[in-house]
Amino acid sequence: MNIDWRRMFQSTKAMLLRRGQSAQDADDLMQDAYLRLQRFSREHHVENPEALFMTTAFNLSIDAHRARKIRGDEVQPEDVELVDPQPDIEAGVLGRECLRRMDVCLGRLSDRTRQMVLEYHLEGLTYDEIAARHGLNTSTVHHQVSKALFRMAGWMHGWYP
């Protein structure tokens, strides 16, 4: 039987690439399919080796997809980009300066207003919860926090990077 292996490999690889396999994965699947075809043909008569080869490669791609879905995608070391999570020196200096200036701005607020701003932004309390703590109307708390943030933004203008 005369088989045009080059054409068979090209068409099979094209099919695997259309199914979302990378070129390297497609080559690996075709190699595995070829080895299986060779093992099977030692003991059985294969009427159409091209069809069996393509079907085997197709089924192997399905199995590979299912395996990746179950255990997650494998990452190749060359695909990993190492990133230093630490900010660069300039960002660290600017960040500390911004925090220092924010502290100055918070210090300009009245004690009660500063407390409400911190409760809202740091503690994550709602306006209703802050109002209950301070014995105020919710709309009053909303107004005070909004006004304080607007004033702080004006004070910070041009200070932050």
Side-chain angles (χ1 to χ4, degrees), residues 7-142:
R7 184 186 58 73
M8 185 172 70
F9 286 150
Q10 287 174 343
S11 62
T12 303
K13 187 170 184 174
M15 177 269 299
L16 292 170
L17 293 173
R18 281 191 307 272
R19 292 190 46 76
Q21 297 293 332
S22 69
Q24 183 176 350
D25 288 344
D27 289 340
D28 291 344
L29 291 169
M30 289 191 317
Q31 181 179 3
D32 194 14
Y34 178 77
L35 292 173
R36 289 178 185 219
L37 174 64
Q38 292 301 313
R39 266 188 256 128
F40 184 79
S41 64
R42 283 186 208 134
E43 298 177 16
H44 303 88
H45 172 69
V46 177
E47 188 69 34
N48 188 344
E50 293 178 37
L52 181 58
F53 177 76
M54 185 163 291
T55 301
T56 302
F58 178 78
N59 289 338
L60 287 170
S61 74
I62 292 171
D63 292 344
H65 173 73
R66 287 179 181 153
R68 275 193 306 274
K69 206 171 178 184
I70 290 170
R71 71 173 183 271
D73 287 334
E74 295 178 14
V75 177
Q76 299 298 320
E78 61 271 10
D79 295 336
V80 175
E81 181 180 336
L82 297 177
V83 178
D84 185 2
Q86 298 297 320
D88 61 13
I89 294 172
E90 182 182 6
V93 170
L94 290 174
R96 283 189 296 279
E97 178 65 14
C98 185
L99 286 174
R100 188 187 68 72
R101 291 177 178 179
M102 180 65 73
D103 191 46
V104 169
C105 290
L106 282 168
R108 291 180 178 177
L109 299 174
S110 70
D111 290 341
R112 185 177 77 169
T113 301
R114 179 177 47 254
Q115 185 62 39
M116 288 189 289
V117 167
L118 293 175
E119 289 170 347
Y120 183 75
H121 284 286
L122 294 181
E123 295 180 36
L125 298 179
T126 65
Y127 291 128
D128 289 332
E129 292 168 330
I130 296 169
R133 268 191 186 181
H134 294 274
L136 299 171
N137 187 318
T138 302
S139 62
T140 302
V141 171
H142 184 270

